[in-house]
Amino acid sequence: MSFLSTAFTPPWSRLTPDRVEPDITAALADAQAKFDAIAAQDPARLTYDSVLGAFDEAAATLDRAWTRVQHLDSVCNAPALRAAQNAMLPRVTDFYTRIYLSEGLWKVIQAYAATAGARALTGARRRLLEETLEDFRDSGAELPPESKKELERLNTEISAVTQKFSENVLDATNAWELVVADESRLAGLPESARAAARQS
């Protein structure tokens, strides 16, 4: 079973750690090819579907696959899965950072925003254009090259530190225990809770 499956409810028990690297690598390549195609468009032939529609869908496979990896790790953390996720985390973080720092993508989106078709957008489509422009600006699209490199480095570092913090919290939670020898300290607890505590 693959993390790339399009099934709405995949058989989680068959999504194994050994599939993380090949599946996420394939999803990264697929998304990169789609973003490259958007950036390579003829500026004179830009449309809503070829720019914003395509941008909105370009990383759908990667988003779905990586979300499954993270979800599985959060509910069924195990050393092999943790190692597989941590091995791919820098690549995934770097990829998502570079999308919004891509000069080619930013130029195409700006070029489309200046077209008559973009100016005529209304409702949800207009809002998507505005949000996409804001996301690029907020994510550093207009930074000078040296600042973009520093932002990439910081995002990768933050991602790794955040993951390690989560792992430390989980490990500490799993290692913690409280043994109550004096049953009077449990006054007020129903018997069902006491029985569950004894079993634990």
Side-chain angles (χ1 to χ4, degrees):
M1 185 64 187
S2 169
F3 285 92
L4 305 178
S5 167
T6 56
F8 182 71
T9 53
W12 294 101
S13 63
R14 290 166 53 199
L15 297 179
T16 55
D18 62 299
R19 294 300 318 162
V20 172
E21 183 177 358
D23 289 352
I24 299 303
T25 297
L28 284 165
D30 173 71
Q32 186 64 64
K34 289 175 179 173
F35 284 123
D36 288 346
I38 296 168
Q41 291 180 84
D42 179 352
R45 302 177 61 118
L46 302 177
T47 66
Y48 176 89
D49 289 334
S50 73
V51 179
L52 293 179
F55 182 84
D56 199 40
E57 291 295 321
T61 299
L62 175 62
D63 293 343
R64 181 175 58 247
W66 188 243
T67 298
R68 287 174 177 173
V69 172
Q70 292 177 309
H71 174 73
L72 200 56
D73 181 62
S74 70
V75 298
C76 190
N77 183 269
L81 182 59
R82 180 183 288 190
Q85 180 181 7
N86 283 335
M88 294 305 296
L89 184 61
R91 289 178 60 190
V92 172
T93 302
D94 182 58
F95 179 81
Y96 280 116
T97 299
R98 282 187 293 106
I99 289 171
Y100 290 97
L101 298 179
S102 165
E103 208 169 308
L105 281 171
W106 181 226
K107 283 182 178 177
V108 164
I109 288 169
Q110 285 181 303
Y112 172 68
T115 65
R119 288 193 298 271
L121 292 175
T122 59
R125 290 189 168 202
R126 179 70 194 172
R127 185 64 183 138
L128 179 59
L129 173 59
E130 292 168 352
E131 287 186 346
T132 303
L133 290 167
E134 287 173 14
D135 287 345
F136 267 83
R137 289 189 187 102
D138 292 346
S139 300
E142 296 179 333
L143 290 173
E146 63 275 10
S147 297
K148 287 183 177 182
K149 287 181 182 178
E150 178 66 3
L151 181 59
E152 286 184 46
R153 185 190 70 75
L154 288 172
N155 281 350
T156 299
E157 182 180 338
I158 289 168
S159 180
V161 170
T162 301
Q163 177 66 17
K164 184 60 178 171
F165 178 81
S166 297
E167 291 172 1
N168 289 344
V169 170
L170 179 62
D171 291 345
T173 301
N174 289 340
W176 184 84
E177 67 177 5
L178 173 65
V179 177
V180 179
D182 179 4
E183 198 164 345
S184 66
R185 293 178 63 192
L186 305 179
L189 277 180
E191 184 52 41
S192 59
R194 294 183 188 210
R198 284 190 200 96
Q199 189 174 16
S200 296

